[in-house]
Amino acid sequence: MNKTQLGIITLLKSAVTGEALPLPEDFSLEEACPIIKKQGLVTLAYEGAVLCGISRQKPVMKELFRTYCSVLLCSERQMAKVEKLLQSFEENAIDYLPFKGCVLKGLYPKPELRVMGDADILIRLEQYEQIKPILRSMGFHMETESDCELIWKHPDLYLELHQCMVQPSQLDYYAYFGDGWSRAIPIEGHRYGFTPEDVYVYLFMHFTKHYRCGGIGCRHVVDLWVFRQAHPEMDQSYISRELEKLRLSQFHENCIKLMDAWFGSGQPDEVTGFISKRIFSGGAWGNLKDYHVFVELTRQKTPDKVKNSRLKFAVNLLFPSLQQMQKKYPVLLRFPFLLPGAWVVRGLAVLLTGREKLSEAVKTGSMISDDALKAHQEVLRKVGLEWTGYRED
């Protein structure tokens, strides 16, 4: 890693430990700022910079502070809405299980240090009809529904109600977690949760899901480290057995080394250096082009079908599936026969306002090749992952 990347990691470590740490010699926060923003690390980086002795009066610090304040206000609004929603669930005897950001925010020194794009809550599907009027009364409107997520929006909160923990298309992980309720334990009232061990297994699975698709950002690594620090009593033998079932043991071992190299006293090696490089090469959620290539490549598992995959990509680009279109045009949930008309509307919208996105999509399609398949297989193999687990939608 270069001095800018090492400096950013130092800022992150300082923010989550509360320690004043020495920054690399000649580290420039100005040079690091674009990466910090791209990775969604502004609050962590600012907090770490203050602890590390960087003056608040520097122009770059004032710039980061403005974003910090915006994130702080957003975080307060999000959590106030979540608390009100969960209170309504209690009053109406709705079972619920918050996970991911909803839970992780409370483990950070300050909740705003853990940015949350949306609130994830597991529900029982049979109670969904009871939930809908509650959401409408609170000012939410339905955005889209899938076989995993039921998405509702409010000006203060992007809400993802889950009918299962993992998308059914992820065959390997869905087979392990199912809808999630079999592992849930009652906490209080109608609130449920998981044991720390099961939370950790899920977090690492989620971490892996993004890594093997488009990649991950620094925050994913920080989440895992913060959770491990908050739960030192976890049964590591249980975690090892469960990760073995998911065929994640080798990758997990490499990620433990990565966390130790970033936040502990461990020394980086070839594999941790490789993972770090991939993390810093993208944004908060990796690289969008890598994601699109991965999705298309998983529709066929062998190089001899690449040409066919390109054809499928082109057809899907012009005529997305009903499920894909329902995400953009919720009216199709009630009236699926309107799909041909929606294709026409979408086509006109792309021609008028989305030519750049269309150009990027065409470029992505051209990247589907035997070499791309082999390169992605190597990216996974190098860190202990396998090329399995998805079905075509």
Side-chain angles (χ1 to χ4, degrees), residues 108-127:
Y108 278 69
K110 299 177 183 178
E112 63 269 20
L113 297 183
R114 206 296 184 171
V115 175
M116 184 176 76
D118 51 63
D120 296 276
I121 301 173
L122 180 68
I123 61 166
R124 298 188 191 276
L125 186 59
E126 58 267 28
Q127 293 185 314

Side-chain angles (χ1 to χ4, degrees), residues 280-348:
F280 277 103
S281 69
W285 296 96
N287 188 307
L288 188 58
K289 290 181 181 178
D290 286 349
Y291 170 75
H292 286 310
V293 171
F294 172 78
V295 169
E296 293 306 319
L297 289 173
T298 52
R299 295 186 179 189
Q300 46 78 47
K301 300 293 193 298
T302 56
D304 62 327
K305 295 182 181 178
V306 165
K307 189 175 294 186
N308 185 42
S309 181
R310 285 198 187 117
L311 177 60
K312 285 184 179 180
F313 180 88
V315 171
N316 186 65
L317 185 63
L318 296 172
F319 307 104
S321 68
L322 175 61
Q323 186 179 31
Q324 290 172 299
M325 290 292 285
Q326 285 172 333
K327 294 178 181 179
K328 186 171 181 62
Y329 303 102
V331 67
L332 295 174
L333 292 166
R334 295 183 62 191
F335 306 107
F337 60 87
L338 295 176
L339 178 60
W343 280 335
V344 174
V345 172
R346 175 182 175 276
L348 291 173

Side-chain angles (χ1 to χ4, degrees), residues 166-187:
V166 183
Q167 289 94 336
S169 59
Q170 297 175 50
L171 298 180
D172 45 1
Y173 299 155
Y174 183 77
Y176 177 87
F177 286 101
D179 65 6
W181 284 107
S182 63
R183 297 175 183 272
I185 54 177
I187 303 298

